[in-house]
Amino acid sequence: MSVLPYLRAGSGPVMVLVHGYLGGADQWESEIKAFGTGFDVIAPNLPGFGDAGHLEGCETINGMALSVLELMDHLDVTEFTLMGHSMGGMIAQEMAALRPDAVQKLVLYGTGPLGLMPDRFEPITVSRERLQSDGVAKTIARIGATWFKAEKAAPGYPLLTKIGAQANAQAAMAALEAMANWDGRNALDKLTMPTLVIWGDSDKSYRWPQVESLWTNIPDVQLSVVPGTAHAVHLEKPALFHSIIEDFLRV
């Protein structure tokens, strides 16, 4: 597999940021600035997404996790703090299960342990059908609105739709299949590193039962529920988002 394109800035211990479905490394611009003062921040583009839109997408969450771990190996990174958002949170869980000694701290943000996402704003089967009929650009425009409390009026909406439109159609479809076929619940008790779960209280993708499953089954876990936000907390309330993570990392 080709080495993934990535953004990197800062100095110190390594922090890896993994984006979600129809995302890309560019969505982490504020986080790279915020955490780059104390960390060497690495934000990969998953195969087929963002600046990796020219690459073939992975058909499994495990395949995506391995692609990020391959990048870490290429960069000679052996230990890191790991944050994953949405589908990236599934990938982060998979990475932590594959290499528990490498992941020093884990942040699972706007995510859950079951890829089918019960009670999601729409079933994955519908997203698959709409993607096939509408294409990637219209799909991110439609789905991206559900990621914000203010929907299309949110300041962060144009950025995420621009990034999302860079994905290739094969990768977008493959990722939906990958999520639908992934179940990480049996691995939760093996994620023994200190873990922070962050969730917006109006998230329409990952409902409370998903978050509760992480909170009650991961051994060393903290939970932060952010009021008045949906699925894109880092763009809706960035200062609060950064403060929550910084507090966790200081412990």
Side-chain angles (χ1 to χ4, degrees), residues 150-170:
E151 299 185 342
K152 291 183 179 181
Y157 175 77
L159 173 65
L160 287 196
T161 53
K162 179 182 177 181
I163 295 170
Q166 294 178 281
N168 72 61
Q170 178 273 329

Side-chain angles (χ1 to χ4, degrees), residues 88-138:
M90 302 178 190
I91 295 165
Q93 290 172 63
E94 192 82 4
M95 290 171 63
L98 288 167
R99 294 193 190 174
D101 294 337
V103 180
Q104 297 173 309
K105 288 191 174 183
L106 179 63
V107 181
L108 300 176
Y109 155 41
T111 192
L114 184 60
L116 275 174
M117 290 175 279
D119 299 321
R120 181 174 178 257
F121 62 89
E122 68 183 21
I124 285 183
T125 53
V126 173
S127 294
R128 186 187 302 123
E129 291 167 1
R130 294 291 300 272
L131 173 63
Q132 194 163 17
S133 63
D134 297 344
V136 173
K138 287 186 178 179

Side-chain angles (χ1 to χ4, degrees), residues 20-218:
Y21 183 65
L22 297 182
D26 286 344
Q27 75 181 51
W28 299 121
E29 180 180 358
S30 293
E31 286 63 48
I32 292 170
K33 290 179 181 177
F35 300 122
T37 57
F39 288 87
D40 175 6
V41 185
I42 301 172
N45 291 278
L46 294 170
F49 296 95
D51 287 341
H54 59 287
L55 299 178
E56 183 177 355
C58 298
E59 296 181 352
T60 65
I61 295 298
N62 178 263
M64 297 183 215
L66 290 174
S67 72
V68 179
L69 290 172
E70 181 180 318
L71 175 62
M72 295 303 103
D73 292 341
H74 175 74
L75 298 174
D76 294 322
V77 172
T78 57
E79 292 183 333
F80 48 90
T81 291
L82 176 62
M83 177 163 69
H85 175 229
S86 192
M87 182 183 76
M90 302 178 190
I91 295 165
Q93 290 172 63
E94 192 82 4
M95 290 171 63
L98 288 167
R99 294 193 190 174
D101 294 337
V103 180
Q104 297 173 309
K105 288 191 174 183
L106 179 63
V107 181
L108 300 176
Y109 155 41
T111 192
L114 184 60
L116 275 174
M117 290 175 279
D119 299 321
R120 181 174 178 257
F121 62 89
E122 68 183 21
I124 285 183
T125 53
V126 173
S127 294
R128 186 187 302 123
E129 291 167 1
R130 294 291 300 272
L131 173 63
Q132 194 163 17
S133 63
D134 297 344
V136 173
K138 287 186 178 179
T139 295
I140 183 57
R142 181 178 61 83
I143 288 179
T146 72
W147 296 347
F148 296 92
K149 182 84 170 177
E151 299 185 342
K152 291 183 179 181
Y157 175 77
L159 173 65
L160 287 196
T161 53
K162 179 182 177 181
I163 295 170
Q166 294 178 281
N168 72 61
Q170 178 273 329
M173 188 64 75
L176 289 175
E177 293 295 331
M179 287 189 284
N181 293 324
W182 183 79
D183 187 343
R185 290 175 293 183
N186 288 338
L188 292 180
D189 62 352
K190 301 176 181 66
L191 305 182
T192 57
M193 65 289 296
T195 300
L196 171 65
V197 175
I198 302 177
W199 181 64
D201 67 350
S202 298
D203 194 328
K204 296 179 181 178
S205 296
Y206 296 82
R207 304 292 189 168
W208 170 247
Q210 283 262 63
V211 178
E212 184 180 30
S213 182
L214 295 175
W215 183 38
T216 57
N217 288 289
I218 295 174

